Amino acid sequence: MKSKRLRAEVVVVGGGVMGTACAWELARQGKSVLVLERSVPGAEASSAAAGILGARVEAHAPGPLAELSQKSRALYPAWVRALTRATGIDPEYRACGVLKVAFGTSELAELARGVAWQKPQPRTLSPRDLSKREPALSPRLRGGLAFDDDARVDPRVLFRALHIAAARSGVVFRSGAYVRRVVTRDERAVGVALDDGSTVEAEHVIVAAGSWTSLVEGLGIAPGAVLPARGQIVELETPGPLLTSVVFGPRAYLVPRDDGRVLVGSTMEFVGYRREVTAAAVRDLLSAAIELVPALADANLQKTWSSFRPYTKDELPLIGPTSIPRLLLASGHHRNGILLAPITAAIVGALVRGKRSPVPVAAFTPARVRG
Ligand SMILES: Cc1cc2nc3c(=O)[nH]c(=O)nc-3n(C[C@H](O)[C@H](O)[C@H](O)COP(=O)(O)OP(=O)(O)OC[C@H]3O[C@@H](n4cnc5c(N)ncnc54)[C@H](O)[C@@H]3O)c2cc1C
């Protein structure tokens, strides 16, 4: 059988939020883009995420990741508006703020110590402030911090909008296309080879294969440079919204949706690519959720799921050129890939067009995991 050959200016491996955001950006800049997805677009982590845009609540130290996160969150309102304009879909972006709460005074002091470096400082909330802002929270809470600039979005709806917007801008998606390796000629990337024997030629290759990135051959990165970090989530349903803000408790976080659903997350497990939802995780998440919001005891347990965060050992993403000319990575975004999608797309979009990145990217260089 004669093997098929396709061509595109840019080929993107992986149709999650990262691959699709980069593809949309490049198509809007006039590039012809083909996204190769082994399953269906959005099948993996990007649809499993809770949707916290936690640039401040998730920042544990000053540095390049904290800065990148804040820049990406700042892009969100305009990015979502552009998606809604292109598709008519509202991805439920809400500038709702995130509360981090504690049941004991020593835990509260620890929370304050953890953010001492942040500027501006998150607001300190008394038990009274907490119950005024979120009356459903447990009266046993001793207080908390308010990260007022942080936000939330519904990742599944966001992805649907992104997928449609990208397709309308001319991006071609091929589902069921498993990329085995990057093809090089004269030491530069010139395309990819699929496991059905076909090849796609391209001027630029972007690998955005999430937790499976290290399994794509020919990237010049160390085996295990990106590892799967499993997270489990429980979705509860209440007749009306109990919360508006995202709430981080000591053992779980709660992410409300406008229609009364509440997502309870999450675990962080290194168990390879095992997709189970475990009894112990569901028990622990439910007990933590009910401790935070006692009325959740009566909620309908709607769904559970698990998926894999693309984890890197230094917990920094891999964004930008590799040691192989014309091959870029957009991967390893771990806990914050939904948050970091707009800035990653802006960086990749600029670099592919030979322009300077809009933000410094040295800290995220794939060179640090060269294999
Ligand atoms: C439980 C959980 C909760 C989370 N909560 C949040 C949150 O609240 N906020 C936030 O910002 N982030 C969150 N995240 C992280 C976020 O989901 C990820 O960082 C982000 O989705 C990564 O996007 P991606 O496109 O890189 O990966 P994915 O969405 O996993 O997409 C990668 C795609 O590549 C495809 N692929 C892989 N290998 C190949 C191949 N060889 N050929 C072709 N296709 C291939 C896969 O099928 C997949 O569709 C959460 C993650 C989990 C698991």
Side-chain angles (χ1 to χ4, degrees):
M1 197 177 75
K2 210 168 158 237
S3 66
K4 273 194 301 183
R5 271 182 178 211
L6 290 169
R7 253 203 84 71
E9 275 178 281
V10 183
V11 66
V12 178
V13 181
V17 71
M18 223 43 82
T20 307
C22 293
W24 184 43
E25 177 68 24
L26 285 161
R28 286 195 293 170
Q29 310 292 343
K31 296 276 180 202
S32 77
V33 188
L34 173 65
V35 177
L36 299 173
E37 166 56 50
R38 61 172 191 178
S39 172
V40 290
E44 299 288 355
S46 302
S47 299
I52 304 161
L53 304 177
R56 283 198 186 275
V57 74
E58 287 272 333
H60 303 298
L65 183 57
E67 281 164 32
L68 190 76
S69 300
Q70 285 185 40
K71 287 191 172 128
S72 201
R73 195 198 49 211
L75 294 179
Y76 243 93
W79 200 59
V80 162
R81 269 198 307 278
L83 281 174
T84 303
R85 255 199 322 273
T87 63
I89 296 172
D90 168 17
E92 206 174 304
Y93 168 80
R94 300 289 177 262
C96 59
V98 175
L99 308 180
K100 202 164 187 179
V101 297
F103 285 98
T105 40
S106 62
E107 284 171 318
L108 204 53
E110 205 174 306
L111 290 188
R113 275 197 299 278
V115 296
W117 61 275
Q118 288 207 14
K119 282 195 192 88
Q121 280 282 291
R123 275 188 309 121
T124 304
L125 300 181
S126 67
R128 199 149 159 257
D129 299 331
L130 276 181
S131 66
K132 236 166 109 188
R133 176 149 166 180
E134 294 290 356
L137 282 175
S138 167
R140 290 201 304 108
L141 286 164
R142 299 303 296 267
L145 300 173
F147 299 83
D148 288 320
D149 303 335
D150 284 347
R152 64 176 157 94
V153 70
D154 184 331
R156 286 181 200 195
V157 186
L158 176 82
F159 187 80
R160 199 181 332 128
L162 192 54
H163 185 205
I164 293 171
R168 287 191 179 158
S169 300
V171 176
V172 177
F173 288 86
R174 222 176 114 194
S175 296
Y178 185 97
V179 173
R180 186 158 295 286
R181 66 185 169 87
V182 171
V183 178
T184 53
R185 195 179 309 131
D186 301 329
E187 297 180 0
R188 330 182 344 199
V190 290
V192 294
L194 280 70
D195 73 344
D196 63 2
S198 64
T199 54
V200 178
E201 290 178 2
E203 285 162 30
H204 300 271
V205 178
I206 299 166
V207 176
S211 294
W212 297 268
T213 298
S214 302
L215 305 182
V216 178
E217 295 165 25
L219 302 185
I221 62 172
V226 184
L227 293 169
R230 186 171 76 185
Q232 304 187 40
I233 289 204
V234 175
E235 185 182 282
L236 302 174
E237 187 188 43
T238 61
L242 281 177
L243 296 170
T244 52
S245 321
V246 172
V247 178
F248 273 66
R251 297 189 292 129
Y253 57 69
L254 306 176
V255 184
R257 300 273 184 257
D258 290 355
D259 62 5
R261 284 173 298 149
V262 177
L263 267 57
V264 187
S266 180
T267 58
M268 176 73 74
E269 303 158 271
F270 291 92
V271 292
Y273 295 99
R274 287 172 48 187
R275 287 184 189 272
E276 294 92 345
V277 171
T278 63
V282 173
R283 174 200 61 200
D284 293 348
L285 290 171
L286 287 176
S287 104
I290 294 166
E291 186 183 36
L292 284 168
V293 173
L296 285 176
D298 295 323
N300 181 31
L301 199 163
Q302 180 74 1
K303 274 189 222 151
T304 59
W305 63 81
S306 72
S307 191
F308 307 105
R309 305 175 187 92
Y311 168 87
T312 59
K313 287 191 183 119
D314 58 12
E315 300 193 24
L316 299 177
L318 297 162
I319 310 174
T322 62
S323 55
I324 301 165
R326 306 285 174 128
L327 171 65
L328 283 87
L329 295 192
S331 182
H333 294 79
H334 190 33
R335 298 170 60 88
N336 290 299
I338 303 298
L339 167 66
L340 294 171
I343 194 78
T344 303
I347 296 168
V348 169
L351 295 176
V352 165
R353 287 178 296 120
K355 304 248 180 325
R356 269 170 68 104
S357 163
V359 292
V361 281
F364 313 118
T365 174
R368 68 190 203 276
V369 295
R370 209 167 162 165

